[in-house]
Amino acid sequence: MDIGNSNTTMGLFGDRNLLGHWRISTNLEQTADELGFLVTGLIKNAKMDNVRVDGISISSVVPSVMYAVEEMAQTYLGQSPLVVGPGIRTGLVIKYDNPKEAGSDRIANAVAAIESYGAPVIIVDFGTATTFTVVDEHRQYLGGVIAPGVKISAEALFRRASKLPHIDLVRPASVIGRNTVSSMQSGLVYGFAGQVDGIVRRIIAEVGSPYRVVATGGLARVVSPHSETIVDVDPFLTLKGLQLIWERNRGRHEYNKM
């Protein structure tokens, strides 16, 4: 489970094979029972209700929901979850000034990107915020960039400019918009593609060597085709990283105490 500010993404793995995946809204008011009913219902609806859950791995940037999530995991899935944070084995060397500040979703992204694409690597995650995570050839998590996300920027336009309509975030027919909607779509899609390329090029200039660029997140497939620096798009990168982290901590004493 990857719990973000806007959405929670869940994946069910058999070994390293992703058998099913779901995206739900992150609800700060949801109880453990409500969440348990929803999660088990999604698994049942996918005709996988006969699957035995051996473990649960969680990244979260929303601390206030964790009590309900952990209670749900124990009550409805029969497992105490592994929550990615300090003391968890990841295979990374965290070079943040304060390693505890490194986002658990970004750590999961880095673990999966190294496994699938090698290092050095830059991961661009199009979520509520657009984050850039930089991992060098020694698997050192160097840090990165956090910028407002595509949806945050779109919502700011809607709120601040009363005449601008809500729009679908899709690529317009041309960069030059011929109406208000296509002009806004162009600004968001091509604007964020340009932002990605500008930041990636500055990162590469700063580190002094080329890095592979991998994109993930809900809007990665919308923006990535218009970027000149993104090489790979992997929409399930975070979930894959959580599965790998669970593997690396399976059976450890610290995990068993959770």
Side-chain angles (χ1 to χ4, degrees):
M1 298 181 68
D2 172 37
I3 303 170
N5 289 295
S6 302
N7 295 303
T8 294
T9 307
M10 300 177 289
L12 183 62
F13 285 82
D15 295 323
R16 294 190 180 182
N17 300 312
L18 184 60
L19 305 178
H21 57 87
W22 306 271
R23 183 184 294 270
I24 63 174
S25 297
T26 300
N27 186 343
L28 303 184
E29 305 299 325
Q30 205 162 41
T31 67
D33 291 327
E34 290 171 328
L35 187 57
F37 181 78
L38 179 58
V39 171
T40 55
L42 289 170
I43 294 172
K44 184 177 181 179
N45 190 58
K47 298 181 180 179
M48 289 186 286
D49 50 313
N50 61 336
V51 171
R52 185 186 76 249
V53 176
D54 291 323
I56 302 169
S57 183
I58 297 175
S59 65
S60 174
V61 297
V62 190
S64 61
V65 304
M66 289 308 298
Y67 178 81
V69 170
E70 294 188 55
E71 185 178 351
M72 178 279 297
Q74 294 171 355
T75 303
Y76 288 89
L77 299 175
Q79 297 290 334
S80 296
L82 169 69
V83 181
V84 178
I88 297 298
R89 180 182 293 158
T90 64
L92 296 173
V93 178
I94 309 297
K95 288 294 186 177
Y96 244 31
D97 291 341
N98 181 358
K100 292 181 180 179
E101 292 182 356
S104 56
D105 54 338
R106 296 173 70 186
I107 290 172
N109 283 341
V111 169
I114 293 169
E115 183 75 16
S116 298
Y117 306 100
V121 64
I122 297 169
I123 305 106
V124 185
D125 191 340
F126 294 94
T128 302
T130 300
T131 62
F132 299 74
T133 300
V134 185
V135 182
D136 71 10
E137 65 273 21
H138 304 297
R139 299 191 173 196
Q140 295 185 124
Y141 179 111
L142 300 182
V145 176
I146 301 174
V150 181
K151 288 186 177 180
I152 286 178
S153 298
E155 288 168 3
L157 273 177
F158 307 148
R159 286 198 306 268
R160 293 287 184 173
S162 58
K163 290 187 177 181
L164 294 182
H166 286 260
I167 61 171
D168 293 326
L169 290 171
V170 297
R171 179 179 66 87
S174 62
V175 176
I176 301 173
R178 305 297 182 185
N179 53 60
T180 300
V181 169
S182 62
S183 296
M184 292 173 66
Q185 289 170 333
S186 181
L188 290 167
V189 173
Y190 294 114
F192 274 86
Q195 179 196 67
V196 167
D197 292 339
I199 290 176
V200 165
R201 288 175 179 139
R202 286 176 180 271
I203 290 171
I204 290 173
E206 190 169 296
V207 297
S209 61
Y211 276 46
R212 191 182 190 99
V213 182
V214 181
T216 191
L219 292 173
R221 292 196 183 279
V222 176
V223 178
S224 295
H226 314 291
S227 165
E228 297 175 354
T229 56
I230 293 172
V231 177
D232 302 286
V233 178
D234 192 334
F236 304 116
L237 194 69
T238 315
L239 295 179
K240 292 175 181 177
L242 289 171
Q243 191 277 334
L244 290 167
I245 291 170
W246 181 79
E247 275 189 4
R248 293 173 185 178
N249 291 272
R250 188 176 187 179
R252 291 182 67 202
H253 178 63
E254 293 88 343
Y255 173 42
N256 289 337
K257 291 193 296 184
M258 292 182 180

